[in-house]
Structure formats: structure tokens, C-alpha cells
Amino acid sequence: MHNNIIIAAVLAFGFTACSGKPTNSSGSSFAMVEPIKIEQTYKTLKILDLDQMTDLLYEKANDYKRNNRVQALREGTMIAFSRPNEEVILDKIISIVRSPLEDADEWEGTVEQMVGQSVQTIKDENTSATDQVTASVVLENVLSEFKPLFVKQYQSGGFETTVIERIAASNLHFSKQAEQEKKLNQMKSGLTPSQLAQKLVEIKNKKLEELKEAEKKKKK
């Protein structure tokens, strides 16, 4: 399943090559990248407090420093985004792994890969309900974190806009078991991440239409 996840993620999000550039059936190139290991589900992470989450991410950052293993930072990013963010802990800890990823020019690629894997996890019929819900938490946290810049990029576009629009286009559906698990855990939204992203895109498009109309009126 991991290979399918990575190939689909690469095709969807266009990663930079890590090891070679095989081509798909259409002839376009894509990179083969190592899957981000999913070490914990939202169930185990949601009971951890700020100090415990901070310790987890510093373990990954220290692994990177000792071994120059960028994958450790990617794993830390997945851990951070896999925790439900009701207490707004994500903003307080993400820089532990984001800063070294940005220094290594790996942040955007890490986000793309994480999002691609999460999309494929939800789409995979053989995925457990808990893994689907964890993937949903990841994507919902991405949407929440990226929304402020997405709003600022209404006219200019940018990385955050691209990610949100691709989540919107992913057309995700939960299994019945995953839907039930979300309800049992009293999770805020019954919508899928793609539906949440579509709402953001709709607001953006409406705003752009309003700006166009305002420009037309100015010219009259």
C-alpha cells in the first residue's frame, strides 16, 4: 500500500526528484520518494499535552541533527499534523521541525508528500477507520494552518493556494466506519477535508468576482 500511496502522491503533487525520475504511462516524470512513516494515530496523540508533543518533535529534530536524516523531520511534521488541534498546540510546536526543513529547502515538499499520502489513505478502501480519521485530521490541520495565507493569496496565488485547491479537487469520501468514528469522537465537522477545502475555494472565487465587478464599475 505504501508504494501506491507514494506514486499517487507524487503524481498529484509533483514532487522534486529524490532518487531518479521514472516516467508514468503518459511520459511525464515523477520522483520516487520514501514514504513518511506514520508512527501514531490521532487517538494516541490527542491525549498528549504540549510538553509531550514538544518532546516528540525535539526527538525528531535531534535525530536530524545527529544523522542528517531529513526523513526524521518529515516524520515529526506528520506527528504534529496528526494531532487534533482543539487546544491550538500545532502553532506552538511546528517550528521545531519546520525551521530545519525550510533551511534544507524541504518544507514544501514535505507538506506535499504528507498531503498526498493523507489523500490516498482516505481513498484506500482497505484503510482502517482510525487511519482514515488520522489522515483527515492531517488535512484539516493543513487547511486551518494555510487558510490565512490562502486568503492573502486570493489574487496572487502561491504554495498554500495550490495545496488547498488540490485538496478541494481530491473528492474524498469517508468509509461508514470512519464517519462513525468521527461522530463517536465528537469531531467538529461532518464534512470531508475536500469539502472543507471546496468551501474555501468557493469563498475565494466569490471574492474575486466581487473584485472584478468593482473594477468594472471604476472604469465606467
Side-chain angles (χ1 to χ4, degrees), residues 101-134:
L101 280 168
E102 287 180 333
D103 290 343
D105 199 24
E106 294 281 356
W107 169 249
E108 291 186 1
T110 296
V111 171
E112 289 173 333
Q113 185 180 356
M114 179 176 69
V115 169
Q117 280 189 216
S118 299
V119 165
Q120 286 307 117
T121 295
I122 295 173
K123 287 189 171 186
D124 188 340
E125 294 178 356
N126 297 315
T127 302
S128 71
T130 296
D131 285 347
Q132 276 199 17
V133 176
T134 301

Side-chain angles (χ1 to χ4, degrees), residues 74-202:
R74 296 190 184 108
E75 291 162 1
T77 304
M78 183 69 85
I79 288 169
F81 277 86
S82 294
R83 185 189 186 281
N85 199 34
E86 282 87 356
E87 301 98 331
V88 199
I89 283 178
L90 182 57
D91 286 345
K92 298 171 184 174
I93 62 173
I94 192 59
S95 63
I96 297 169
V97 288
R98 177 170 181 165
S99 294
L101 280 168
E102 287 180 333
D103 290 343
D105 199 24
E106 294 281 356
W107 169 249
E108 291 186 1
T110 296
V111 171
E112 289 173 333
Q113 185 180 356
M114 179 176 69
V115 169
Q117 280 189 216
S118 299
V119 165
Q120 286 307 117
T121 295
I122 295 173
K123 287 189 171 186
D124 188 340
E125 294 178 356
N126 297 315
T127 302
S128 71
T130 296
D131 285 347
Q132 276 199 17
V133 176
T134 301
S136 176
V137 170
V138 170
L139 295 176
E140 288 171 26
N141 280 335
V142 168
L143 293 175
S144 179
E145 286 295 298
F146 281 17
K147 182 180 176 181
L149 281 174
F150 175 73
V151 170
K152 290 181 180 179
Q153 294 169 359
Y154 274 179
Q155 292 179 288
S156 62
F159 173 67
E160 291 77 12
T161 295
T162 299
V163 171
I164 287 177
E165 288 180 344
R166 285 176 175 171
I167 294 173
S170 61
N171 195 29
L172 298 174
H173 300 281
F174 294 125
S175 66
K176 287 183 180 179
Q177 292 85 353
E179 286 179 355
Q180 289 169 353
E181 187 162 319
K182 281 176 72 74
K183 286 178 184 176
L184 283 172
N185 284 277
Q186 298 180 328
M187 292 186 162
K188 290 182 290 186
S189 175
L191 300 177
T192 68
S194 56
Q195 290 169 329
L196 292 171
Q198 285 161 14
K199 286 184 174 293
L200 294 178
V201 172
E202 286 168 8

